[in-house]
Amino acid sequence: MEAPRLAHTMNSPTSPCEEVIKNLSLEAIQLCDRDGNKSQDSGIAEMEELPVPHNIKISNITCDSFKISWEMDAKSKDRITHYFIDLNKKENKNSNKFKHKDVPTKLVAKAVPLPMTVRGHWFLSPRTEYTVAVQTASKQVDGDYVVSEWSEIIEFCTADYSKVHLTQLLEKAEVIAGRMLKLSVFYRNQHKEYFDYTSERHGNAMQPSVKDNSGSHGSPISGKLEGIFFSCNTEFNTGKPPQDSPYGRYRFEIAAEKLFNPNTNLYFGDFYCMYTAYHYVILVIAPVGSPGDEFCKQRLPQLNIKDNKFLTCNEEDGVMVYHHAQDVILEVIYTDPVDLSLGTVAEITGHQLMSLSTANAKKDPSCKTCNISVGR
């Protein structure tokens, strides 16, 4: 039997902890900190012999939940009515103090068989390190609590978004993708030094590099997937790539069919914005059977290259025809090296608009268009 779900009502005027207590049908209480100090007028009785949790184990970790279990001595075990769980982000593990003396800062659950599931998107974020400690408690007839000492402090890290979560993001992105426009090339903007270095040190082949931490905090490709970033958006009035760029005044252009064709797979990687009206969609193109393809197949939703809302490849009268979504900015990651001889490098005539850079950009967690109801 699992513990009750720790739900949170976004419009509730109560604090998150008060909401936890409300949902578990408990009274508002005050808890000791990990050092056993009680706030003034605490409703906790003097310490009595209750078993202290030890050998704590964390399992079944997702981006917004985990299971917790521990061992306890048999003495007074039958007196336990509740568990107090102290959950903190790792960087704040020494800041374990009350903000107000009448607002508890711990999670409270009725004593249930272990392991117990702890979940709730409002206090758990993906890919984040946490510390957790546990007390056992016995509620008395007068409403006071007898508590054990705190257990040892355990550290763990939540997981990335799963395919289920990414599919939710995908569905939200599809809503705003807009109509499809034709494209003929993929392009990559960089400084002249980048292309010189590629020619001199890598035999003319651009090399994949690890994706930065821009976009959704829970994206499984951030800091893990290796690839080369390309753009493919075109200007509505010309049908050609824009002349402005935030990434450098030199541009490599390559015919679309050389990177995207029936021998490649297409994956959805992320959907985000940066406190602006623009929304970005990250797509991954991977040659079939390549290491990048195997990485994505395990983690990302795969798209039909002929029929999706973002980037399509179809044969018409023996010629490959390509389209991209008009109303989102596409960032395309190609997972294999790309030889400069397959395209051309030339200086652009527009401006270098640094404000449009997405390097390590932080996603707006309050945007209703591109967020899902799990940890940010």
Side-chain angles (χ1 to χ4, degrees), residues 43-212:
I44 299 178
E46 292 299 319
M47 189 75 71
E48 292 186 18
E49 290 296 326
L50 281 176
V52 180
H54 61 275
N55 195 23
I56 296 175
K57 296 186 183 300
I58 305 294
S59 61
N60 295 83
I61 300 172
T62 72
C63 67
D64 65 346
S65 70
F66 63 92
K67 284 189 176 183
I68 184 169
S69 63
W70 57 82
E71 297 176 6
M72 292 180 289
D73 295 332
K75 183 179 180 181
S76 302
K77 189 174 180 180
D78 57 348
R79 294 175 49 225
I80 297 172
T81 61
H82 293 83
Y83 302 136
F84 297 161
I85 302 173
D86 185 7
L87 182 68
N88 292 284
K89 287 187 177 180
K90 186 175 179 181
E91 60 267 27
N92 297 324
K93 64 181 178 181
N94 294 321
S95 302
N96 188 26
K97 304 297 180 184
F98 295 116
K99 292 182 179 179
H100 305 287
K101 70 175 186 177
D102 58 343
V103 178
T105 61
K106 310 297 182 288
L107 308 179
V108 183
K110 292 181 179 179
V112 295
L114 300 176
M116 178 178 69
T117 297
V118 178
R119 61 164 59 92
H121 74 269
W122 51 269
F123 63 83
L124 282 171
S125 296
R127 200 185 285 200
T128 303
E129 292 184 326
Y130 288 92
T131 64
V132 64
V134 186
Q135 280 180 316
T136 58
S138 176
K139 188 173 184 179
Q140 309 299 292
V141 292
D142 59 1
D144 285 349
Y145 283 80
V146 174
V147 296
S148 73
E149 295 181 357
W150 282 108
S151 70
E152 72 272 28
I153 298 173
I154 300 298
E155 299 179 359
F156 71 99
C157 185
T158 48
D160 297 332
Y161 284 159
S162 67
K163 275 189 180 181
V164 171
H165 299 119
L166 286 171
T167 299
Q168 293 175 23
L169 269 183
L170 165 62
E171 291 169 351
K172 293 179 77 73
E174 289 175 335
V175 172
I176 70 161
R179 68 172 181 169
M180 304 291 278
L181 302 178
K182 278 190 176 183
L183 70 105
S184 60
V185 299
F186 290 101
Y187 55 96
R188 174 172 172 79
N189 289 85
Q190 281 287 345
H191 299 285
K192 183 176 183 296
E193 292 76 13
Y194 168 83
F195 294 110
D196 290 342
Y197 183 86
T198 297
S199 297
E200 296 167 5
R201 299 296 182 91
H202 293 294
N204 224 38
M206 293 186 292
Q207 299 297 312
S209 59
V210 177
K211 184 194 172 296
D212 66 11

